[in-house]
Amino acid sequence: MFTDDLIRQLARELDDAERRRVQVEHFSKRFPGMTIEDGYAVSRAWVALKLEGGRRAIGHKIGLTSRAMQQSSQIDEPDYGTLLDDMLFEPGDIPAARFIAPRVEVELAFVLKHPLEGATITTEDVLAATDYVQPAIEIIDARIEQFDRHSKAPRKVFDTISDNAANAGLILAGRKVAPREIDLPWAGAILRQNGVVEETGLAAGVQGHPAVGVAWLAMKLAPWGESLRAGEIVLAGSFTRPVAARAGDVFDADYGPLGRFEFRFT
């Protein structure tokens, strides 16, 4: 288990990597005994640095929700990170210089009207606690190298978790719908990049129902004495693969009846 001093050191490295836009090497390579718990401890320390600097937590993201991604990461559950106020963007121009290696994912966001806390949370509890569901784009990034600069080995899940589950930005747009207004697993999207369809998917790709991950997260936070609070945004997980973005790229996100919007990296 990492010491408190090491946790703070690695959190500062992540903070510096983000500010300078220079990735750091895999923590798991430097510290082979690293655990998932160590990863979350580093992530929490990094978020604490952000809060000390004046940022505000606005919710959470859930990652690695598809079975394929879990198998590739050699885990059997998702991971999660914290959303901060300066990560929230409107559709339109997205500053590419804010990121190191941005990638785009298609998701649904749950915005809560009641808290979710405790060791036993069901999808029905999630739907009852949700004010509305809205189309969302998550912008993921890598403060830690995705592939080791020497061996080209992919980073491990411990690295991704410590890197705030790779979260870097989000866009909320389109219709806000009551959680029972539509059949959420059948909510779908088409993602175009520079006019070309890159990804399509259904929200059923997120563990069968996007509310499943929200319930999981509420229960996962309980042992830390934490919960999902009213007013928070929860990104329920991507139902497409991530698409790499570069300055000049124009994206069109079409969620059918839930709306369509455009954004571009400038």
Side-chain angles (χ1 to χ4, degrees):
M1 180 175 290
F2 285 178
T3 65
D4 290 345
D5 285 346
L6 179 56
I7 289 167
R8 287 191 291 268
Q9 172 195 320
L10 297 181
R12 287 192 295 269
E13 288 187 24
L14 288 175
D15 198 47
D16 184 61
E18 183 178 67
R19 281 188 285 103
R20 297 195 301 120
R21 298 181 66 219
V22 177
Q23 294 173 324
V24 298
E25 293 190 73
H26 298 174
F27 293 163
S28 62
K29 175 184 174 182
R30 294 161 54 190
F31 305 99
M34 187 178 186
T35 66
I36 285 177
E37 289 74 19
D38 292 328
Y40 281 120
V42 172
S43 177
R44 279 177 161 78
W46 179 80
V47 170
L49 285 176
K50 292 291 190 179
L51 299 180
E52 290 169 9
R55 299 274 57 86
R56 179 173 57 86
I58 59 172
H60 306 266
K61 64 83 47 109
I62 306 167
L64 301 178
T65 49
S66 74
R67 186 65 181 145
M69 288 299 291
Q70 289 177 14
Q71 288 176 331
S72 68
S73 299
Q74 298 182 329
I75 60 171
D76 58 5
E77 66 176 17
D79 66 358
Y80 64 91
T82 301
L83 304 176
L84 301 171
D85 58 345
D86 65 338
M87 297 175 176
L88 184 59
F89 296 94
E90 297 288 336
D93 291 341
I94 307 296
R98 269 281 302 271
F99 309 101
I100 303 171
R103 293 183 292 164
V104 169
E105 294 183 333
V106 169
E107 315 205 4
L108 292 178
F110 287 67
V111 179
L112 303 180
K113 60 182 178 181
H114 301 304
L116 282 168
E117 55 187 331
T120 306
I121 304 290
T122 67
T123 56
E124 285 301 311
D125 293 330
V126 172
L127 298 180
T130 298
D131 186 10
Y132 59 87
V133 177
Q134 187 174 17
I137 290 292
E138 183 182 4
I139 303 169
I140 61 174
D141 203 1
R143 273 79 48 168
I144 298 175
E145 293 172 340
Q146 188 174 1
F147 297 96
D148 179 73
R149 67 188 67 174
H150 305 293
S151 68
K152 308 306 178 186
R155 63 182 183 176
K156 298 184 182 300
V157 68
F158 319 118
D159 302 302
T160 306
I161 288 171
S162 64
D163 195 13
N164 197 36
N167 178 253
L170 69 152
I171 304 168
L172 300 184
R175 285 182 59 212
K176 300 175 182 178
V177 296
R180 291 187 175 89
E181 181 180 335
I182 62 170
D183 190 355
L184 287 172
W186 286 97
I190 302 168
L191 182 67
R192 295 178 176 87
Q193 181 182 29
N194 302 322
V196 176
V197 174
E198 287 290 344
E199 284 296 315
T200 64
L202 292 175
V206 183
Q207 303 179 91
H209 193 297
V212 169
V214 182
W216 170 86
L217 177 57
M219 293 185 285
K220 198 72 177 176
L221 291 174
W224 295 84
E226 300 173 4
S227 63
L228 300 179
R229 295 175 293 183
E232 286 191 326
I233 302 163
V234 182
L235 295 182
S238 177
F239 46 92
T240 63
R241 71 174 179 86
V243 177
R246 296 163 295 276
D249 283 348
V250 177
F251 287 88
D252 179 316
D254 186 350
Y255 291 76
L258 294 183
R260 182 175 181 172
F261 57 92
E262 186 177 282
F263 57 98
R264 51 202 165 269
F265 284 80
T266 59

PDB file of all heavy atoms in Angstrom, residues 110 116-130 180 209 211-216 218-219:
ATOM      1  N   PHE A 110     -26.859  11.307 -16.061  1.00  0.00           N
ATOM      2  CA  PHE A 110     -27.949  11.325 -15.093  1.00  0.00           C
ATOM      3  C   PHE A 110     -27.730  12.523 -14.166  1.00  0.00           C
ATOM      4  O   PHE A 110     -26.645  12.655 -13.587  1.00  0.00           O
ATOM      5  CB  PHE A 110     -27.958  10.043 -14.263  1.00  0.00           C
ATOM      6  CG  PHE A 110     -28.438   8.827 -14.999  1.00  0.00           C
ATOM      7  CD1 PHE A 110     -27.704   8.286 -16.049  1.00  0.00           C
ATOM      8  CD2 PHE A 110     -29.627   8.202 -14.641  1.00  0.00           C
ATOM      9  CE1 PHE A 110     -28.142   7.153 -16.727  1.00  0.00           C
ATOM     10  CE2 PHE A 110     -30.080   7.072 -15.312  1.00  0.00           C
ATOM     11  CZ  PHE A 110     -29.333   6.560 -16.360  1.00  0.00           C
ATOM     12  N   LEU A 116     -28.218   9.489  -3.450  1.00  0.00           N
ATOM     13  CA  LEU A 116     -28.173   8.026  -3.485  1.00  0.00           C
ATOM     14  C   LEU A 116     -27.035   7.597  -2.578  1.00  0.00           C
ATOM     15  O   LEU A 116     -25.867   7.927  -2.841  1.00  0.00           O
ATOM     16  CB  LEU A 116     -27.926   7.527  -4.908  1.00  0.00           C
ATOM     17  CG  LEU A 116     -29.110   7.528  -5.871  1.00  0.00           C
ATOM     18  CD1 LEU A 116     -28.618   7.297  -7.298  1.00  0.00           C
ATOM     19  CD2 LEU A 116     -30.119   6.456  -5.481  1.00  0.00           C
ATOM     20  N   GLU A 117     -27.368   6.887  -1.517  1.00  0.00           N
ATOM     21  CA  GLU A 117     -26.319   6.462  -0.592  1.00  0.00           C
ATOM     22  C   GLU A 117     -26.713   5.146   0.056  1.00  0.00           C
ATOM     23  O   GLU A 117     -27.890   4.816   0.167  1.00  0.00           O
ATOM     24  CB  GLU A 117     -26.085   7.531   0.485  1.00  0.00           C
ATOM     25  CG  GLU A 117     -27.315   7.938   1.257  1.00  0.00           C
ATOM     26  CD  GLU A 117     -27.052   9.114   2.181  1.00  0.00           C
ATOM     27  OE1 GLU A 117     -25.912   9.251   2.625  1.00  0.00           O
ATOM     28  OE2 GLU A 117     -27.986   9.874   2.446  1.00  0.00           O
ATOM     29  N   GLY A 118     -25.682   4.388   0.429  1.00  0.00           N
ATOM     30  CA  GLY A 118     -25.925   3.129   1.104  1.00  0.00           C
ATOM     31  C   GLY A 118     -25.334   1.949   0.371  1.00  0.00           C
ATOM     32  O   GLY A 118     -24.834   2.067  -0.745  1.00  0.00           O
ATOM     33  N   ALA A 119     -25.423   0.791   1.012  1.00  0.00           N
ATOM     34  CA  ALA A 119     -24.798  -0.416   0.493  1.00  0.00           C
ATOM     35  C   ALA A 119     -25.687  -1.187  -0.461  1.00  0.00           C
ATOM     36  O   ALA A 119     -25.230  -2.117  -1.120  1.00  0.00           O
ATOM     37  CB  ALA A 119     -24.390  -1.325   1.661  1.00  0.00           C
ATOM     38  N   THR A 120     -26.970  -0.839  -0.539  1.00  0.00           N
ATOM     39  CA  THR A 120     -27.890  -1.546  -1.428  1.00  0.00           C
ATOM     40  C   THR A 120     -28.691  -0.535  -2.237  1.00  0.00           C
ATOM     41  O   THR A 120     -29.612   0.106  -1.720  1.00  0.00           O
ATOM     42  CB  THR A 120     -28.859  -2.445  -0.635  1.00  0.00           C
ATOM     43  OG1 THR A 120     -28.107  -3.323   0.204  1.00  0.00           O
ATOM     44  CG2 THR A 120     -29.716  -3.271  -1.581  1.00  0.00           C
ATOM     45  N   ILE A 121     -28.317  -0.370  -3.487  1.00  0.00           N
ATOM     46  CA  ILE A 121     -28.980   0.569  -4.395  1.00  0.00           C
ATOM     47  C   ILE A 121     -29.391  -0.201  -5.647  1.00  0.00           C
ATOM     48  O   ILE A 121     -28.591  -0.948  -6.221  1.00  0.00           O
ATOM     49  CB  ILE A 121     -28.045   1.730  -4.802  1.00  0.00           C
ATOM     50  CG1 ILE A 121     -27.499   2.456  -3.574  1.00  0.00           C
ATOM     51  CG2 ILE A 121     -28.775   2.699  -5.730  1.00  0.00           C
ATOM     52  CD1 ILE A 121     -28.503   3.254  -2.808  1.00  0.00           C
ATOM     53  N   THR A 122     -30.627  -0.029  -6.087  1.00  0.00           N
ATOM     54  CA  THR A 122     -31.122  -0.710  -7.288  1.00  0.00           C
ATOM     55  C   THR A 122     -31.263   0.279  -8.440  1.00  0.00           C
ATOM     56  O   THR A 122     -31.215   1.504  -8.244  1.00  0.00           O
ATOM     57  CB  THR A 122     -32.495  -1.345  -7.018  1.00  0.00           C
ATOM     58  OG1 THR A 122     -33.459  -0.303  -6.808  1.00  0.00           O
ATOM     59  CG2 THR A 122     -32.445  -2.253  -5.792  1.00  0.00           C
ATOM     60  N   THR A 123     -31.460  -0.250  -9.635  1.00  0.00           N
ATOM     61  CA  THR A 123     -31.700   0.638 -10.782  1.00  0.00           C
ATOM     62  C   THR A 123     -32.979   1.438 -10.587  1.00  0.00           C
ATOM     63  O   THR A 123     -33.057   2.593 -11.013  1.00  0.00           O
ATOM     64  CB  THR A 123     -31.774  -0.160 -12.098  1.00  0.00           C
ATOM     65  OG1 THR A 123     -32.774  -1.169 -11.986  1.00  0.00           O
ATOM     66  CG2 THR A 123     -30.441  -0.816 -12.413  1.00  0.00           C
ATOM     67  N   GLU A 124     -33.976   0.845  -9.924  1.00  0.00           N
ATOM     68  CA  GLU A 124     -35.210   1.582  -9.639  1.00  0.00           C
ATOM     69  C   GLU A 124     -34.938   2.748  -8.708  1.00  0.00           C
ATOM     70  O   GLU A 124     -35.525   3.825  -8.845  1.00  0.00           O
ATOM     71  CB  GLU A 124     -36.262   0.651  -9.045  1.00  0.00           C
ATOM     72  CG  GLU A 124     -36.911  -0.272 -10.053  1.00  0.00           C
ATOM     73  CD  GLU A 124     -37.603   0.498 -11.182  1.00  0.00           C
ATOM     74  OE1 GLU A 124     -38.381   1.431 -10.890  1.00  0.00           O
ATOM     75  OE2 GLU A 124     -37.353   0.178 -12.361  1.00  0.00           O
ATOM     76  N   ASP A 125     -34.047   2.540  -7.739  1.00  0.00           N
ATOM     77  CA  ASP A 125     -33.653   3.636  -6.850  1.00  0.00           C
ATOM     78  C   ASP A 125     -33.016   4.770  -7.660  1.00  0.00           C
ATOM     79  O   ASP A 125     -33.265   5.954  -7.406  1.00  0.00           O
ATOM     80  CB  ASP A 125     -32.647   3.157  -5.795  1.00  0.00           C
ATOM     81  CG  ASP A 125     -33.246   2.165  -4.808  1.00  0.00           C
ATOM     82  OD1 ASP A 125     -34.462   2.247  -4.542  1.00  0.00           O
ATOM     83  OD2 ASP A 125     -32.485   1.315  -4.310  1.00  0.00           O
ATOM     84  N   VAL A 126     -32.183   4.389  -8.624  1.00  0.00           N
ATOM     85  CA  VAL A 126     -31.520   5.396  -9.465  1.00  0.00           C
ATOM     86  C   VAL A 126     -32.545   6.194 -10.256  1.00  0.00           C
ATOM     87  O   VAL A 126     -32.491   7.432 -10.304  1.00  0.00           O
ATOM     88  CB  VAL A 126     -30.495   4.731 -10.414  1.00  0.00           C
ATOM     89  CG1 VAL A 126     -29.954   5.748 -11.416  1.00  0.00           C
ATOM     90  CG2 VAL A 126     -29.358   4.094  -9.626  1.00  0.00           C
ATOM     91  N   LEU A 127     -33.488   5.507 -10.875  1.00  0.00           N
ATOM     92  CA  LEU A 127     -34.502   6.197 -11.685  1.00  0.00           C
ATOM     93  C   LEU A 127     -35.340   7.128 -10.808  1.00  0.00           C
ATOM     94  O   LEU A 127     -35.666   8.247 -11.222  1.00  0.00           O
ATOM     95  CB  LEU A 127     -35.387   5.176 -12.397  1.00  0.00           C
ATOM     96  CG  LEU A 127     -34.675   4.248 -13.392  1.00  0.00           C
ATOM     97  CD1 LEU A 127     -35.665   3.292 -14.017  1.00  0.00           C
ATOM     98  CD2 LEU A 127     -33.934   5.038 -14.461  1.00  0.00           C
ATOM     99  N   ALA A 128     -35.668   6.688  -9.605  1.00  0.00           N
ATOM    100  CA  ALA A 128     -36.471   7.518  -8.706  1.00  0.00           C
ATOM    101  C   ALA A 128     -35.697   8.745  -8.227  1.00  0.00           C
ATOM    102  O   ALA A 128     -36.296   9.800  -7.963  1.00  0.00           O
ATOM    103  CB  ALA A 128     -36.932   6.693  -7.513  1.00  0.00           C
ATOM    104  N   ALA A 129     -34.389   8.634  -8.124  1.00  0.00           N
ATOM    105  CA  ALA A 129     -33.562   9.746  -7.627  1.00  0.00           C
ATOM    106  C   ALA A 129     -33.115  10.693  -8.733  1.00  0.00           C
ATOM    107  O   ALA A 129     -32.526  11.742  -8.449  1.00  0.00           O
ATOM    108  CB  ALA A 129     -32.330   9.196  -6.913  1.00  0.00           C
ATOM    109  N   THR A 130     -33.388  10.340  -9.999  1.00  0.00           N
ATOM    110  CA  THR A 130     -32.901  11.125 -11.136  1.00  0.00           C
ATOM    111  C   THR A 130     -33.902  12.201 -11.537  1.00  0.00           C
ATOM    112  O   THR A 130     -35.084  11.915 -11.742  1.00  0.00           O
ATOM    113  CB  THR A 130     -32.628  10.198 -12.337  1.00  0.00           C
ATOM    114  OG1 THR A 130     -31.604   9.264 -11.971  1.00  0.00           O
ATOM    115  CG2 THR A 130     -32.168  10.994 -13.547  1.00  0.00           C
ATOM    116  N   ARG A 180     -37.950   7.823 -16.913  1.00  0.00           N
ATOM    117  CA  ARG A 180     -38.887   6.797 -17.376  1.00  0.00           C
ATOM    118  C   ARG A 180     -39.654   7.233 -18.633  1.00  0.00           C
ATOM    119  O   ARG A 180     -40.550   6.525 -19.088  1.00  0.00           O
ATOM    120  CB  ARG A 180     -39.870   6.451 -16.251  1.00  0.00           C
ATOM    121  CG  ARG A 180     -39.227   5.711 -15.075  1.00  0.00           C
ATOM    122  CD  ARG A 180     -40.279   5.243 -14.079  1.00  0.00           C
ATOM    123  NE  ARG A 180     -39.703   4.445 -13.015  1.00  0.00           N
ATOM    124  CZ  ARG A 180     -39.224   4.945 -11.876  1.00  0.00           C
ATOM    125  NH1 ARG A 180     -39.271   6.258 -11.666  1.00  0.00           N
ATOM    126  NH2 ARG A 180     -38.721   4.159 -10.950  1.00  0.00           N
ATOM    127  N   HIS A 209     -28.085  -1.635 -19.083  1.00  0.00           N
ATOM    128  CA  HIS A 209     -28.928  -0.473 -18.747  1.00  0.00           C
ATOM    129  C   HIS A 209     -28.020   0.566 -18.111  1.00  0.00           C
ATOM    130  O   HIS A 209     -27.274   0.259 -17.180  1.00  0.00           O
ATOM    131  CB  HIS A 209     -30.030  -0.880 -17.772  1.00  0.00           C
ATOM    132  CG  HIS A 209     -31.119   0.149 -17.620  1.00  0.00           C
ATOM    133  ND1 HIS A 209     -30.886   1.416 -17.121  1.00  0.00           N
ATOM    134  CD2 HIS A 209     -32.449   0.085 -17.888  1.00  0.00           C
ATOM    135  CE1 HIS A 209     -32.021   2.094 -17.095  1.00  0.00           C
ATOM    136  NE2 HIS A 209     -32.985   1.307 -17.569  1.00  0.00           N
ATOM    137  N   ALA A 211     -28.449   2.840 -16.003  1.00  0.00           N
ATOM    138  CA  ALA A 211     -28.646   3.088 -14.566  1.00  0.00           C
ATOM    139  C   ALA A 211     -27.907   2.079 -13.700  1.00  0.00           C
ATOM    140  O   ALA A 211     -27.679   2.334 -12.504  1.00  0.00           O
ATOM    141  CB  ALA A 211     -30.130   3.074 -14.224  1.00  0.00           C
ATOM    142  N   VAL A 212     -27.508   0.940 -14.283  1.00  0.00           N
ATOM    143  CA  VAL A 212     -26.799  -0.083 -13.506  1.00  0.00           C
ATOM    144  C   VAL A 212     -25.499   0.483 -12.939  1.00  0.00           C
ATOM    145  O   VAL A 212     -25.156   0.276 -11.775  1.00  0.00           O
ATOM    146  CB  VAL A 212     -26.516  -1.325 -14.383  1.00  0.00           C
ATOM    147  CG1 VAL A 212     -25.545  -2.281 -13.687  1.00  0.00           C
ATOM    148  CG2 VAL A 212     -27.816  -2.045 -14.702  1.00  0.00           C
ATOM    149  N   GLY A 213     -24.755   1.211 -13.779  1.00  0.00           N
ATOM    150  CA  GLY A 213     -23.489   1.784 -13.336  1.00  0.00           C
ATOM    151  C   GLY A 213     -23.666   2.839 -12.267  1.00  0.00           C
ATOM    152  O   GLY A 213     -22.836   2.963 -11.356  1.00  0.00           O
ATOM    153  N   VAL A 214     -24.736   3.617 -12.355  1.00  0.00           N
ATOM    154  CA  VAL A 214     -24.988   4.657 -11.355  1.00  0.00           C
ATOM    155  C   VAL A 214     -25.250   4.007 -10.002  1.00  0.00           C
ATOM    156  O   VAL A 214     -24.737   4.462  -8.965  1.00  0.00           O
ATOM    157  CB  VAL A 214     -26.163   5.552 -11.775  1.00  0.00           C
ATOM    158  CG1 VAL A 214     -26.386   6.652 -10.754  1.00  0.00           C
ATOM    159  CG2 VAL A 214     -25.906   6.161 -13.161  1.00  0.00           C
ATOM    160  N   ALA A 215     -26.038   2.923  -9.986  1.00  0.00           N
ATOM    161  CA  ALA A 215     -26.281   2.186  -8.737  1.00  0.00           C
ATOM    162  C   ALA A 215     -24.980   1.613  -8.195  1.00  0.00           C
ATOM    163  O   ALA A 215     -24.695   1.701  -6.984  1.00  0.00           O
ATOM    164  CB  ALA A 215     -27.298   1.076  -8.981  1.00  0.00           C
ATOM    165  N   TRP A 216     -24.166   1.032  -9.082  1.00  0.00           N
ATOM    166  CA  TRP A 216     -22.870   0.487  -8.670  1.00  0.00           C
ATOM    167  C   TRP A 216     -22.001   1.556  -8.025  1.00  0.00           C
ATOM    168  O   TRP A 216     -21.388   1.329  -6.974  1.00  0.00           O
ATOM    169  CB  TRP A 216     -22.161  -0.114  -9.886  1.00  0.00           C
ATOM    170  CG  TRP A 216     -20.736  -0.490  -9.624  1.00  0.00           C
ATOM    171  CD1 TRP A 216     -20.266  -1.656  -9.104  1.00  0.00           C
ATOM    172  CD2 TRP A 216     -19.573   0.334  -9.846  1.00  0.00           C
ATOM    173  NE1 TRP A 216     -18.900  -1.616  -8.980  1.00  0.00           N
ATOM    174  CE2 TRP A 216     -18.448  -0.414  -9.436  1.00  0.00           C
ATOM    175  CE3 TRP A 216     -19.384   1.627 -10.354  1.00  0.00           C
ATOM    176  CZ2 TRP A 216     -17.149   0.095  -9.515  1.00  0.00           C
ATOM    177  CZ3 TRP A 216     -18.094   2.131 -10.439  1.00  0.00           C
ATOM    178  CH2 TRP A 216     -16.989   1.366 -10.029  1.00  0.00           C
ATOM    179  N   ALA A 218     -22.868   4.401  -6.540  1.00  0.00           N
ATOM    180  CA  ALA A 218     -23.374   4.805  -5.226  1.00  0.00           C
ATOM    181  C   ALA A 218     -22.941   3.808  -4.153  1.00  0.00           C
ATOM    182  O   ALA A 218     -22.525   4.192  -3.051  1.00  0.00           O
ATOM    183  CB  ALA A 218     -24.891   4.936  -5.262  1.00  0.00           C
ATOM    184  N   MET A 219     -23.026   2.521  -4.474  1.00  0.00           N
ATOM    185  CA  MET A 219     -22.622   1.501  -3.512  1.00  0.00           C
ATOM    186  C   MET A 219     -21.109   1.470  -3.321  1.00  0.00           C
ATOM    187  O   MET A 219     -20.611   1.200  -2.224  1.00  0.00           O
ATOM    188  CB  MET A 219     -23.145   0.138  -3.961  1.00  0.00           C
ATOM    189  CG  MET A 219     -24.664   0.025  -3.918  1.00  0.00           C
ATOM    190  SD  MET A 219     -25.297  -1.633  -4.302  1.00  0.00           S
ATOM    191  CE  MET A 219     -25.057  -1.686  -6.098  1.00  0.00           C
TER     192      MET A 219
END
